[in-house]
Amino acid sequence: APDVLRREQYMDFLRNRSFRETLLVRKEVALNRKVSPLRLMSLRIASKARPVRGTPDLRTPAVEEFRTPEGHVLATPNRITKAAAVVLARHWPMAVTFDELHAQARALLTEPDASTENERGLLASDLMRCYGAGVVELRSVPSPFVTRVGERPVASALVRLQAGRGTRVTNRRHELLTLDEDLCRLCRLLDGSRNRSELAESGWRSPSSPGPAESTDAALERLALLALLVG
């Protein structure tokens, strides 16, 4: 294609994109269409990929695989990248900064090499490829939810509203989830006015619910991992 407009039009045809995805910027902004892994160092990273083996080998350059529920795979021999994938799995669904990810990944390596810009560049390059393969997500702002439950848990106002109308709720990752009736009743109570003890005594779980009884703390932890809590 002789220019960017026609190239993007052809890409629409090839990828069968039904909507034109255009980023509008001010006229004075200088455009740089070259994507560099260095750009990734200013972003936050998240990944739902889990190691295929229970305990990945971080000591040697053996290839380890990490797979998302959708089937996207990261296979790498790079020790720092393998350690970073383990860190991201522990933090999911929270996105962490590149510097935090690099530091925690190095801490997992039993015999880490001396930290160098080459190592940071290698990790950034691998993560960029992972983004293209659908293994990681990139964010420019902190995650708008919490994964550690506070003493007075708070679900988002939208979740509380939706839980009062049905069993489908939208989390802070803009995903539509289906909860059972018990969790919906619990979500409606999470406005920050009740502590954990008061929530446990509120009778949010129906006595007729099937299966073993779930503790309030366990239910709250599950809601947090679903990105439904903001406090």
Side-chain angles (χ1 to χ4, degrees):
D3 56 63
V4 65
L5 291 180
R6 275 178 279 192
R7 182 169 69 247
E8 287 295 313
Q9 179 70 80
Y10 291 147
M11 292 306 297
D12 286 345
F13 297 152
L14 290 171
R15 294 177 176 172
N16 196 27
R17 291 191 293 209
S18 55
F19 294 99
R20 169 94 294 263
E21 298 175 352
T22 302
L23 177 63
L24 300 179
V25 298
R26 294 183 180 275
K27 182 171 59 176
E28 62 272 16
V29 173
L31 296 182
N32 182 358
R33 299 183 184 277
K34 184 178 180 180
V35 180
S36 167
L38 296 178
R39 297 269 189 98
L40 190 140
M41 294 183 183
S42 63
L43 300 175
R44 294 170 181 266
I45 304 102
S47 176
K48 63 179 71 172
R50 294 291 184 272
V52 173
R53 293 203 310 162
T55 305
D57 179 6
L58 305 182
R59 299 180 60 186
T60 72
V63 174
E64 290 288 349
E65 290 190 358
F66 299 82
R67 189 183 302 273
T68 70
E70 296 80 14
H72 304 302
V73 177
L74 159 64
T76 179
N78 298 330
R79 296 174 66 228
I80 189 65
T81 305
K82 292 188 288 187
V86 172
V87 171
L88 291 174
R90 292 177 179 177
H91 280 282
W92 175 259
M94 191 70 69
V96 297
T97 66
F98 180 85
D99 288 340
E100 291 172 334
L101 176 59
H102 180 239
Q104 292 181 34
R106 284 184 55 78
L108 285 183
L109 299 179
T110 54
E111 298 176 0
D113 300 325
S115 178
T116 64
E117 284 304 311
N118 287 339
E119 181 187 73
R120 289 170 58 85
L122 172 64
L123 178 59
S125 296
D126 283 351
L127 291 173
M128 183 69 76
R129 285 191 286 270
C130 287
Y131 174 71
V135 177
V136 304
E137 302 174 358
L138 300 179
R139 298 282 184 265
S140 61
V141 296
S143 300
F145 51 84
V146 298
T147 52
R148 294 184 178 180
V149 183
E151 179 57 28
R152 293 181 177 272
V154 182
S156 72
L158 176 60
V159 167
R160 300 199 305 271
L161 176 66
Q162 291 176 320
R165 296 177 173 178
T167 58
R168 306 195 77 185
V169 299
T170 306
N171 67 8
R172 297 304 297 271
R173 287 174 40 80
H174 310 291
E175 298 166 329
L176 192 60
L177 308 175
T178 301
L179 305 180
D180 59 38
E181 293 288 348
D182 288 342
L183 287 182
C184 285
R185 280 192 291 271
L186 179 58
C187 283
R188 294 197 294 268
L189 300 174
L190 302 182
D191 57 4
S193 65
R194 301 170 181 84
N195 59 31
R196 294 195 186 205
S197 298
E198 291 170 331
L199 289 170
E201 296 170 357
S202 65
W204 60 271
R205 192 178 192 280
S206 171
S208 60
S209 295
E214 183 177 33
S215 71
T216 300
D217 284 344
L220 291 171
E221 294 293 337
R222 185 145 63 99
L223 293 177
L225 290 178
L226 292 174
L228 293 170
L229 303 186
V230 296

Coordinates of all heavy atoms in Angstrom, one line a residue, residues 58-59 79-80 83 102-116 119:
L58 N 13.3 -22.4 36.9 CA 13.8 -21.0 36.7 C 15.4 -21.0 36.9 O 16.0 -19.9 36.8 CB 13.2 -20.1 37.8 CG 11.7 -20.0 37.9 CD1 11.3 -19.0 38.9 CD2 11.1 -19.6 36.5
R59 N 16.0 -22.1 37.1 CA 17.4 -22.2 37.3 C 18.2 -22.4 36.0 O 19.3 -21.9 35.9 CB 17.7 -23.3 38.3 CG 17.1 -23.2 39.7 CD 17.5 -24.3 40.6 NE 18.9 -24.4 40.7 CZ 19.5 -25.4 41.4 NH1 18.8 -26.4 41.9 NH2 20.8 -25.4 41.5
R79 N 15.4 -17.1 31.5 CA 15.1 -17.2 33.0 C 14.3 -16.0 33.5 O 13.4 -16.2 34.3 CB 16.4 -17.4 33.7 CG 17.1 -18.7 33.4 CD 18.5 -18.7 34.0 NE 18.4 -18.8 35.5 CZ 19.0 -18.0 36.4 NH1 19.9 -17.1 35.9 NH2 18.9 -18.2 37.6
I80 N 14.7 -14.8 33.1 CA 14.0 -13.6 33.6 C 12.6 -13.6 33.1 O 11.7 -13.2 33.9 CB 14.8 -12.4 33.2 CG1 14.2 -11.1 34.0 CG2 14.8 -12.1 31.7 CD1 14.4 -11.2 35.4
A83 N 10.5 -16.2 35.1 CA 10.3 -15.7 36.4 C 9.2 -14.6 36.4 O 8.3 -14.5 37.3 CB 11.6 -15.1 37.1
H102 N 10.1 -6.6 37.0 CA 11.5 -6.9 36.8 C 12.1 -7.2 38.2 O 12.8 -8.2 38.3 CB 12.2 -5.8 36.1 CG 13.7 -6.1 35.9 ND1 14.7 -5.3 36.4 CD2 14.3 -7.1 35.3 CE1 15.8 -5.8 36.1 NE2 15.6 -6.9 35.4
A103 N 11.9 -6.4 39.2 CA 12.5 -6.6 40.5 C 12.0 -7.9 41.1 O 12.8 -8.6 41.7 CB 12.2 -5.4 41.4
Q104 N 10.7 -8.1 41.1 CA 10.2 -9.4 41.7 C 10.6 -10.6 41.0 O 10.8 -11.7 41.5 CB 8.6 -9.3 41.8 CG 8.1 -8.2 42.7 CD 6.6 -8.2 42.8 OE1 6.0 -9.2 42.7 NE2 6.1 -7.0 43.0
A105 N 10.7 -10.5 39.6 CA 11.2 -11.6 38.8 C 12.7 -12.0 39.2 O 13.0 -13.1 39.4 CB 11.1 -11.3 37.4
R106 N 13.5 -11.0 39.4 CA 14.9 -11.2 39.8 C 15.0 -11.8 41.1 O 15.8 -12.7 41.4 CB 15.7 -9.9 39.7 CG 16.0 -9.4 38.3 CD 16.9 -8.1 38.4 NE 18.1 -8.3 39.2 CZ 19.2 -9.0 38.8 NH1 19.2 -9.5 37.6 NH2 20.2 -9.1 39.6
A107 N 14.0 -11.4 42.0 CA 14.1 -12.0 43.4 C 13.7 -13.5 43.4 O 14.1 -14.2 44.3 CB 13.1 -11.2 44.3
L108 N 13.0 -14.0 42.4 CA 12.7 -15.4 42.3 C 13.8 -16.2 41.8 O 13.9 -17.4 42.0 CB 11.5 -15.6 41.3 CG 10.1 -15.2 41.8 CD1 9.1 -15.5 40.8 CD2 9.8 -15.9 43.1
L109 N 14.8 -15.6 41.1 CA 15.9 -16.4 40.5 C 16.9 -16.7 41.6 O 17.4 -15.8 42.3 CB 16.6 -15.6 39.4 CG 15.7 -15.2 38.2 CD1 16.5 -14.4 37.2 CD2 15.1 -16.5 37.6
T110 N 17.2 -18.0 41.8 CA 18.1 -18.4 42.9 C 19.5 -17.9 42.7 O 20.2 -17.6 43.7 CB 18.1 -19.9 43.1 OG1 18.4 -20.5 41.8 CG2 16.7 -20.4 43.5
E111 N 19.9 -17.8 41.5 CA 21.3 -17.2 41.2 C 21.1 -16.2 40.1 O 21.5 -16.4 38.9 CB 22.2 -18.4 40.7 CG 22.4 -19.4 41.8 CD 23.3 -20.6 41.3 OE1 23.7 -20.5 40.1 OE2 23.5 -21.5 42.1
P112 N 20.6 -15.0 40.4 CA 20.3 -14.0 39.4 C 21.6 -13.5 38.8 O 22.6 -13.3 39.5 CB 19.5 -12.9 40.1 CG 19.9 -13.1 41.5 CD 20.2 -14.6 41.7
D113 N 21.6 -13.3 37.5 CA 22.7 -12.6 36.9 C 22.7 -11.1 37.3 O 21.7 -10.6 37.8 CB 22.7 -12.7 35.3 CG 22.7 -14.2 34.9 OD1 23.4 -15.0 35.6 OD2 22.0 -14.5 33.9
A114 N 23.8 -10.4 37.1 CA 23.9 -9.0 37.4 C 22.8 -8.3 36.5 O 22.7 -8.5 35.3 CB 25.2 -8.5 37.1
S115 N 22.0 -7.4 37.2 CA 21.0 -6.7 36.4 C 21.7 -5.7 35.4 O 22.6 -5.0 35.8 CB 20.1 -5.9 37.4 OG 19.2 -5.2 36.7
T116 N 21.2 -5.8 34.2 CA 21.8 -4.9 33.2 C 20.6 -4.4 32.3 O 19.5 -4.9 32.4 CB 22.7 -5.7 32.2 OG1 22.0 -6.7 31.6 CG2 23.9 -6.4 33.0
E119 N 19.3 -7.1 30.1 CA 18.3 -8.0 30.7 C 16.9 -7.3 30.7 O 15.9 -7.9 30.3 CB 18.7 -8.3 32.1 CG 17.7 -9.3 32.8 CD 18.0 -9.4 34.3 OE1 17.8 -8.5 35.1 OE2 18.5 -10.5 34.7

